[in-house]
Amino acid sequence: MLPWVYWLQPILILLSSVFWTWGENCPATCLCPDPHTVDCSGRGLTRLPEEIPLDVRRLLLADNWIPRIPSDFLVLYSDLVYLDLRNNSLSYIEPGTLSTSSRLVFLDLGSNNLTEIPKGTFGESRSLIKLRLGNNPYLSMVSEDAFLGLTSLRELELERNALSTLKVGALSQLPSLRVVRLEGNPWVCNCNFTNLFEWLMENHHKLPNALDVGDSVHNMTQ
């Protein structure tokens, strides 16, 4: 046997063991394209799948029928950085679901049935950078303190919801915010909206696309 075969054999055994464990830990209804990604998109799920590896970092659950997330979910999966739950049946996110210790960087809750975002929903998750909440047709209330403590948040999507008003404090307490999408909501011209629009004007240098919100109001006044 050639000499290089002797040192190659242990490596092949180790790799086969890794791939066996990787496939073995993948939920039965899902795909696992790499050791830290679980893709359960479009599987017709009505609840979170069981036996998700505890060290998962990217969890893709889009295009299912999942109605809720257990409040302790991110405590169990503390390594999770990317969570895609768009186009499910979520109507409510329990306060504290995202804890201060969460490592989550990306969260997509778009195209669900959310009706409100109360204070404490995101639990001061200081690692969160991008939050998608658009295309929730029943989302009509966002608390002024809904995003309190999200000090790293750079992108916030609230487009095409049912928002008629939004207090400026909901955005002004986000020091890292650089992109906000507000278009496609049925805004009402009142004091809250005036304050919001003025704040967007003042911060146009760091939120250049935010004034698209004005198009909705302009259209209503025609």
Side-chain angles (χ1 to χ4, degrees):
M1 185 178 292
L2 296 175
W4 60 268
V5 174
Y6 288 105
W7 61 261
L8 185 60
Q9 281 181 328
I11 297 175
L12 292 174
I13 293 171
L14 177 61
L15 286 174
S16 64
S17 174
V18 168
F19 285 118
W20 173 260
T21 303
W22 169 10
E24 190 178 55
N25 290 339
C26 192
T29 58
C30 306
L31 299 174
C32 296
D34 64 65
H36 297 292
T37 298
V38 176
D39 185 353
C40 305
S41 303
R43 300 287 170 167
L45 300 176
T46 56
R47 62 179 181 177
L48 293 173
E50 298 178 358
E51 300 178 354
I52 298 173
L54 292 176
D55 62 349
V56 64
R57 294 177 188 169
R58 296 180 75 249
L59 182 56
L60 312 178
L61 293 164
D63 304 319
N64 285 296
W65 301 96
I66 298 170
R68 65 180 294 271
I69 309 171
S71 58
D72 61 351
F73 180 69
L74 289 176
V75 175
L76 295 173
Y77 300 100
S78 58
D79 289 337
L80 196 63
V81 297
Y82 188 106
L83 179 57
D84 184 355
L85 277 159
R86 61 192 155 83
N87 198 25
N88 273 280
S89 301
L90 299 171
S91 59
Y92 183 68
I93 305 296
E94 294 185 36
T97 300
L98 275 74
S99 65
T100 305
S101 60
S102 170
R103 297 181 183 179
L104 204 63
V105 171
F106 175 95
L107 177 60
D108 193 340
L109 298 172
S111 301
N112 275 280
N113 297 320
L114 299 175
T115 58
E116 64 175 325
I117 309 294
K119 177 181 179 181
T121 298
F122 301 107
E124 300 189 19
S125 180
R126 293 183 174 88
S127 62
L128 196 63
I129 292 176
K130 185 165 187 173
L131 176 59
R132 288 180 167 173
L133 292 167
N135 296 289
N136 279 277
Y138 309 111
L139 179 55
S140 59
M141 196 283 287
V142 173
S143 166
E144 186 172 11
D145 293 324
F147 311 120
L148 184 66
L150 303 186
T151 53
S152 299
L153 192 68
R154 292 182 62 85
E155 298 185 35
L156 174 61
E157 298 183 3
L158 287 166
E159 79 281 5
R160 289 185 288 277
N161 292 317
L163 296 173
S164 60
T165 185
L166 180 68
K167 291 188 176 180
V168 67
L171 303 181
S172 64
Q173 58 190 333
L174 298 172
S176 301
L177 192 65
R178 294 297 178 269
V179 176
V180 60
R181 293 189 59 185
L182 298 168
E183 73 274 10
N185 283 284
W187 301 108
V188 172
C189 293
N190 56 20
C191 292
N192 280 334
F193 184 83
T194 299
N195 292 336
L196 175 63
F197 193 76
E198 288 177 351
W199 183 85
L200 293 174
M201 289 280 290
E202 292 169 4
N203 290 274
H204 182 60
H205 60 287
K206 67 175 184 178
L207 295 167
N209 73 317
L211 290 177
D212 291 346
V213 67
D215 294 341
S216 300
V217 177
H218 178 74
N219 292 335
M220 287 191 300
T221 58
Q222 296 300 305

